[in-house]
Amino acid sequence: GNQAIVEVALTQVGNEGGEPYWNWWGLDYRVEWCAIFVSWCADQCGFLDAEVLPRMDGVRPYVDWFRERGQWQDRSYAPMAGDIIFLDWESDGLTDHVGIVDRVEGSIIYTVEGNAGDRCIQNSYTLGSAPIYGFGLPNY
């Protein structure tokens, strides 16, 4: 299951503006769409119906959802493909962005993220580094 969400996310790399995702959400106007992108990817895999991941349009409620279920790890955790990565760009202790872990090679975490500069992109971070806030671990 964890590879399925990664494969769906990778097919979206290069999308600009996020319209397929916020439109799927039911909106006819642009919103910040990183969390909606993760929810959209989960829906494509049947993970919303199976309650593996929630349908969320905000980053912070996503963190709360994982914490309430005991499926949360801080930035020191070494993630796996399909884990959900949360980022704190402003270093203020509040998460601002969410993406999907594609893979980990050595000390580098590779991700797929929606609404990074209003695009779907692949990105990378060093294990344990700021701006990583923590990880949600879906029960695939």
Side-chain angles (χ1 to χ4, degrees), residues 75-114:
R75 80 165 52 104
S76 66
Y77 168 76
M80 300 186 317
D83 286 348
I84 308 302
I85 186 170
F86 293 88
L87 301 148
D88 174 6
W89 295 122
E90 299 166 2
S91 300
D92 60 2
L94 299 171
T95 187
D96 319 290
H97 187 64
V98 61
I100 299 167
V101 175
D102 171 8
R103 67 190 186 282
V104 178
E105 293 178 0
S107 64
I108 305 298
I109 303 166
Y110 293 90
T111 63
V112 181
E113 301 168 25

